[in-house]
Amino acid sequence: MKYLHILLTMLLFTGCMNTETKQEKNRRTNQHSMHPVAQIDFVKNRLQQKTEPYYTAYLQLIRYADSIQHAAHHALSNFAVPGYYDNPEEHQANSLAIQKDAFGAYCSALVYQLSGEKKYGEKAVYFLNAWASTNKEYSEHDGVLVMAYSGSGLMIGAELMADSEIWEEKDRENFRQWVRSVYQPAANEIRVHKNNWADWGRFGSLLAASFLNEPEEVSENIRLIKSDLFEKIAMDGSMLEETRRGENGIWYTYFSLSPMTAACWLVYNLTGENLFDLEENNLSIKNALNYLLYYEQHPTEWPFYDNPNTGRKEPWPENLFEAISGIYQDEKYKEFVQPARPVIYPKHHFAWVFPTLMPVELSFVK
């Protein structure tokens, strides 16, 4: 009887040790590629202590999430977007459909992860389910590109909700089918281009591969990044395909480096391989970032166009440098960003959207 009592006690104790919820188990074992669990835990700890700049950035995020609590989705069966330079008004109007909903899904899902409040998770799932059940295709010249760079917000929101019991399995599977039939084909179609289209394609393709658990697709995107990285960047650090874009050369340089660096972040989180430090004949991502920063601060010296457009009235390229400062620990990046904190980029494209709130450091992934 004595041994039976000991055995029953041990079994009871073991049962108590294994009472973690399904969500806790999923969270413990699931690898988030854009927002790894260690990063989320770090931020939650800082928020509990009301540490700046995280706390103010979180309040900013909450305001956005609250403002769309009752917003209706804008999902379209055919996401048709004409070329920007052919029809800018229609391009922007049609693009807003996915941009509003992708940001809504992303910011709501992030608030849910940080706060645990169910209403935010439900709103994120609302947007995800709407696009998965409604959208069947993309079309016209820029449909594929906008799907890749704006749909990335839906993908990150889905990743954040993937281990939540709020999102029912049948709806998750429906979203997976949408990724396979619409989002992933769009990203893969443009990942072989030469300019920023390729960078957005690879970033989107990595998000899809992470969500669908397709390591072979991760490997293919790593191969593509390595295949032309040192063709994209000139000896002086300029981005050859982007500086030729007239008055918007600085913008397009940012628009290429943003998904490129975000893709490197995904690769590191998924595989442990560090692409940020790739260098060949003094060509590197870091040199390209330094080049962009210099001319953002000294636009009158830009050698490709007089009076180029800059981001001085916009939250770019501060969002990029806020994120990447955690990778390179470069003081000039931090000094550039400091006056703009907390930085958030709530529109158009979704790579570095909440960089002040969600710091990027390689130490988050062991």
Side-chain angles (χ1 to χ4, degrees), residues 175-216:
F175 189 84
R176 291 188 196 102
Q177 291 301 323
W178 175 79
V179 175
R180 293 188 186 102
S181 63
V182 179
Y183 186 78
Q184 189 178 51
N188 286 0
E189 179 181 337
I190 64 173
R191 66 180 177 175
V192 295
H193 284 227
K194 296 299 182 183
N195 61 356
N196 61 77
W197 284 51
D199 302 313
W200 283 108
R202 294 163 191 180
F203 175 57
S205 184
L206 282 163
L207 287 171
S210 174
F211 188 75
L212 298 175
N213 190 25
E214 296 178 343
E216 68 283 356

Side-chain angles (χ1 to χ4, degrees), residues 181-343:
S181 63
V182 179
Y183 186 78
Q184 189 178 51
N188 286 0
E189 179 181 337
I190 64 173
R191 66 180 177 175
V192 295
H193 284 227
K194 296 299 182 183
N195 61 356
N196 61 77
W197 284 51
D199 302 313
W200 283 108
R202 294 163 191 180
F203 175 57
S205 184
L206 282 163
L207 287 171
S210 174
F211 188 75
L212 298 175
N213 190 25
E214 296 178 343
E216 68 283 356
E217 281 295 308
V218 174
S219 297
E220 175 59 13
N221 282 290
I222 294 173
R223 186 194 69 79
L224 287 169
I225 292 169
K226 291 179 177 179
S227 72
D228 61 7
L229 179 62
F230 303 117
E231 297 173 9
K232 288 173 174 285
I233 303 171
M235 290 298 296
D236 61 359
S238 61
M239 304 288 290
L240 299 173
E241 292 291 335
E242 314 307 331
T243 54
R244 65 182 64 181
R245 303 297 292 271
E247 63 182 347
N248 293 318
I250 293 177
W251 156 261
Y252 278 109
T253 298
Y254 153 79
F255 197 58
S256 181
L257 283 169
S258 189
M260 181 187 294
T261 51
C264 291
W265 171 241
L266 297 181
V267 167
Y268 186 79
N269 292 336
L270 290 167
T271 71
E273 183 173 0
N274 184 357
L275 303 183
F276 289 104
D277 291 338
L278 288 178
E279 185 173 340
E280 182 178 292
N281 299 324
N282 294 319
L283 302 176
S284 67
I285 295 173
K286 181 66 162 56
N287 287 345
L289 289 163
N290 291 343
Y291 189 91
L292 170 62
L293 179 60
Y294 181 83
Y295 286 104
E296 172 65 22
Q297 295 176 311
H298 305 88
T300 59
E301 299 178 30
W302 182 249
F304 303 98
Y305 194 90
D306 290 336
N307 300 314
N309 291 330
T310 69
R312 291 196 173 177
K313 295 183 180 180
E314 297 283 344
W316 69 270
E318 283 86 352
N319 62 326
L320 169 60
F321 286 102
E322 177 77 302
I324 215 67
S325 66
I327 298 293
Y328 293 110
Q329 294 297 315
D330 192 318
E331 288 302 318
K332 65 177 177 289
Y333 295 173
K334 298 177 182 179
E335 291 172 4
F336 172 68
V337 168
Q338 179 62 42
R341 285 178 175 163
V343 181

Side-chain angles (χ1 to χ4, degrees), residues 30 66-67 76 89 146 148 152 164 206 246 253 288 291 306 332 351 363 365:
N30 190 44
D66 284 343
S67 72
L76 301 171
E89 292 80 12
V146 181
S152 60
S164 169
L206 282 163
T253 298
Y291 189 91
D306 290 336
K332 65 177 177 289
S363 61
V365 181

Side-chain angles (χ1 to χ4, degrees), residues 38-107:
Q39 181 199 50
I40 293 170
D41 287 343
F42 171 87
V43 174
K44 288 173 72 172
N45 178 267
R46 295 303 183 272
L47 294 180
Q48 288 173 357
Q49 301 174 34
K50 295 187 177 182
T51 304
E52 296 293 356
Y54 310 102
Y55 188 66
T56 298
Y58 178 66
L59 295 179
Q60 182 186 52
L61 171 66
I62 288 286
R63 287 195 292 272
Y64 275 107
D66 284 343
S67 72
I68 59 171
Q69 264 293 297
H70 303 291
H73 72 79
H74 306 83
L76 301 171
S77 176
N78 179 9
F79 182 65
V81 183
Y84 177 77
Y85 293 101
D86 296 327
N87 191 336
E89 292 80 12
E90 187 176 346
H91 171 102
Q92 292 175 325
N94 292 1
S95 296
L96 279 175
I98 198 169
Q99 289 163 2
K100 289 181 177 180
D101 292 358
F103 179 74
Y106 186 175
C107 76

Side-chain angles (χ1 to χ4, degrees), residues 153-187:
L154 292 173
M155 294 303 305
I156 300 171
E159 178 185 81
L160 288 166
M161 295 305 300
D163 48 16
S164 169
E165 294 176 351
I166 291 176
W167 202 8
E168 295 184 9
E169 177 55 35
K170 63 179 179 62
D171 292 327
R172 270 201 300 268
E173 180 55 33
N174 196 32
F175 189 84
R176 291 188 196 102
Q177 291 301 323
W178 175 79
V179 175
R180 293 188 186 102
S181 63
V182 179
Y183 186 78
Q184 189 178 51

